[in-house]
Amino acid sequence: MKWMGRYAGYNAAAFRKDLLSGLIVGIIAIPLGMAFAIASGVKPEYGLYTTVIAGILISLLGGSKFQIGGPTGAFIPILFAIVMQYGYENLLIAGIMAGLILVVMGLFKLGALIKFIPRPVTIGFTAGIAVIIFSGQIANFLGLSGIKKHEDFWSNMKEIGMHISTVNIYSLLTAGSCLAVILLVPRFAPKVPASLVGLVLSTIVAAFFFEGQIATIGSSFGAIPNSLPQFHVPEITWERIVNLLQPAFVIAMLGGIESLLSAVVADGMTGSRHNSNRELIGQGIANLVTPLFGGIPATGAIARTATNIKSGAVSPFSGVIHGVVVLLVLVLFAPYASHIPLASMAPVLMMVAWNMSERKSFMHVMKTKTSDSLVLLITFLLTVFTSLTTAVEVGLVLAVLLFVKRMSEMLKVAKVLPDPDHKHEKVMAHMVQEGHDCPQISLYTIEGPLFFGAADGFEKSVMESIHRRPGTLLLRMSKVPFMDTTGESNLARVVKHMERSGGRVLLSGIQAQPLEMMKRTGLIGRIRPEHMFERTGEAINDALMHLDVQKCRGCKHFAFRECAALSSSGPILSVRACWSSERESKQTAFNSNNQKRSIHNFVRETDNKS
């Protein structure tokens, strides 16, 4: 059998590698699946169902060869909030809606758009989620009783404070032993799944020494069934769809971000390249199907994907095998899982929170003390103290506004004049001074994008010159890479004002995108193509040829090298001929052959008139 595509060259040796990596990741996924489900406010078996069904579908249909899908810690706050506010049945509907959104995004090739979410926003809400997960396990770690769960962080912290006197020493010892194992195992046996070992050993300790003294999965949620649930379609109504639209959108966005981040990590570790749109479609289908079997929303799991690669995975079969391993464990050993103490699950989730907190990246961005630091901090605080939805919305809006502000500050509008001391008489801003500024020609250098955030500043700067009624306004636009319709509109107003005052607008060095924008809006026809030049020197030549020489006589600004001759008394035509001859000798040193020919023709015409 010849394998194609992602399975090209697949053989028995590759299968053995996938079998081993799938087995390892499957074992790791078992405690995490149950822990994520419990933290999300649902029964632990729903996390296992998700691991099996979503894990297999994401591997088969996704855009990354090595992606491991399933329930993740990132989903915990939003899923818990949905369960608290809408109930488990509506969580399933929100998951289906999120899956549909992801499929549509993939079909319309919107995978690349998710990559544009600013890094400070991602780090901020990820760190905030980590705080929520960690703090949410304090009660289980301490074995507190009488705790009521709330949606918001402050209320949960108050509950812990109010019930701190109910600390269960047996829960504390169980959780402490599990945490110790999780911390020590990686040092002595790095390839052994520490969370599973900690869970098993602490469960054995609790069963032998603290039986009946601490809460377990069985006492809190009932026995875990050793089979998959029946296929069930939740009752979907228009009212439910409307109410769940925002939560579904947040699930879809968060799932898309996490899965693509995980795929990027996999690319970096293997040198492969994922298909972002296919990844979204695969994630979407998995989230469409999983709720029909009672599963919760799933996405790509960065830590499990990295473990999959480190364990030698070769193809998506490793992800399929990981799902099958979890299914076999569910069928064969589910009744034993009921004896796992909640205090043993707490350290597992706390370590997940610690590892996903992005603490190093968080501190790195904060040390920059820039607008990114502000976006990061606000997103983090809003995630912790309000909701993930609010945090992401505000974080994105704030990031966009600050980006627009920074981009607007990049636009530089400077009035310039030729520097006679420079070899090629390069135009410089420092040459414009009081008493040294041509009254008839205003020459500006524009640098930066001319868009809605900067267009008004551009217009105000240039309008200062227009009020002095120059005959020619020359705009150097070689460093304007982009122009939107707002920038074009402001430029059009400048052109209109110049026309009203009887002046002209010349453009030099305009780039392709601004030129295309002006063609589409018709502004290029208003300015006229003959007023657009490739080089500033050509534009200055044209501006000088259209001077009102009568106004030049007696002028002491001497902005251009021709000004001395034009300012002196004498017949106008002979002065213009003198100017042309002097300009010609200057241009010969550095202009193109076409430029030289144009000036020679002009000199001959003025000589004939003389």
Side-chain angles (χ1 to χ4, degrees), residues 77-225:
I78 187 67
L79 301 189
F80 180 75
I82 293 173
V83 171
M84 291 290 290
Q85 186 173 351
Y86 301 102
Y88 169 67
E89 183 83 358
N90 284 320
L91 172 63
L92 301 181
I93 297 174
I96 294 172
M97 292 170 61
L100 183 60
I101 293 171
L102 285 169
V103 170
V104 171
M105 289 178 65
L107 291 175
F108 282 90
K109 302 186 183 302
L110 300 179
L113 292 181
I114 293 180
K115 298 177 183 178
F116 292 122
I117 294 178
R119 181 71 172 149
V121 174
T122 305
I123 296 174
F125 74 67
T126 303
I129 289 170
V131 171
I132 293 172
I133 295 173
F134 191 95
S135 62
Q137 295 305 307
I138 294 175
N140 287 334
F141 194 99
L142 300 177
L144 304 182
S145 58
I147 293 287
K148 293 182 180 180
K149 291 186 176 181
H150 302 272
E151 289 185 51
D152 63 292
F153 176 81
W154 275 124
S155 297
N156 286 320
M157 291 300 98
K158 287 179 181 178
E159 281 286 327
I160 292 173
M162 291 169 58
H163 296 84
I164 195 66
S165 59
T166 64
V167 172
N168 186 327
I169 188 63
Y170 302 113
S171 292
L172 192 59
L173 290 172
T174 301
S177 62
C178 182
L179 180 61
V181 172
I182 291 175
L183 294 175
L184 292 173
V185 166
R187 295 187 178 184
F188 301 101
K191 293 186 177 181
V192 176
S195 58
L196 183 64
V197 175
L199 208 61
V200 171
L201 291 180
S202 60
T203 299
I204 293 173
V205 170
F208 276 96
F209 299 104
F210 314 134
E211 186 177 3
Q213 301 295 322
I214 57 178
T216 64
I217 289 177
S219 65
S220 301
F221 301 98
I224 297 178

Side-chain angles (χ1 to χ4, degrees), residues 227-302:
S227 62
L228 285 174
Q230 295 295 318
F231 179 85
H232 169 68
V233 179
E235 183 182 353
I236 301 175
T237 64
W238 179 251
E239 183 181 359
R240 283 184 167 183
I241 291 175
V242 172
N243 290 336
L244 295 171
L245 190 58
Q246 187 184 46
F249 185 77
V250 174
I251 292 173
M253 291 300 101
L254 186 58
I257 293 169
E258 288 291 314
S259 65
L260 293 182
L261 282 176
S262 180
V264 169
V265 170
D267 289 349
M269 295 178 68
T270 62
S272 61
R273 288 185 64 84
H274 72 280
N275 184 321
S276 59
N277 295 311
R278 178 173 175 173
E279 180 65 24
L280 291 182
I281 293 173
Q283 296 283 341
I285 294 174
N287 281 290
L288 278 169
V289 175
T290 303
L292 302 178
F293 293 91
I296 60 179
T299 184
I302 297 176

Side-chain angles (χ1 to χ4, degrees), residues 477 480-483 510-519:
M477 300 185 66
V480 178
F482 173 80
M483 177 193 294
I510 189 164
Q511 295 192 33
Q513 192 280 332
L515 181 61
E516 181 63 26
M517 174 62 70
M518 292 168 64
K519 287 180 180 178

Side-chain angles (χ1 to χ4, degrees), residues 414-421 426-433 436:
K415 196 170 187 181
V416 295
L417 283 174
D419 184 353
D421 296 330
K426 185 177 180 179
V427 292
M428 307 291 285
H430 72 267
M431 294 302 299
V432 180
Q433 301 172 13
H436 189 262

Side-chain angles (χ1 to χ4, degrees), residues 427-450:
V427 292
M428 307 291 285
H430 72 267
M431 294 302 299
V432 180
Q433 301 172 13
E434 187 175 352
H436 189 262
D437 185 12
C438 182
Q440 296 192 60
I441 301 175
S442 289
L443 177 59
Y444 281 90
T445 295
I446 317 298
E447 296 183 15
L450 192 56

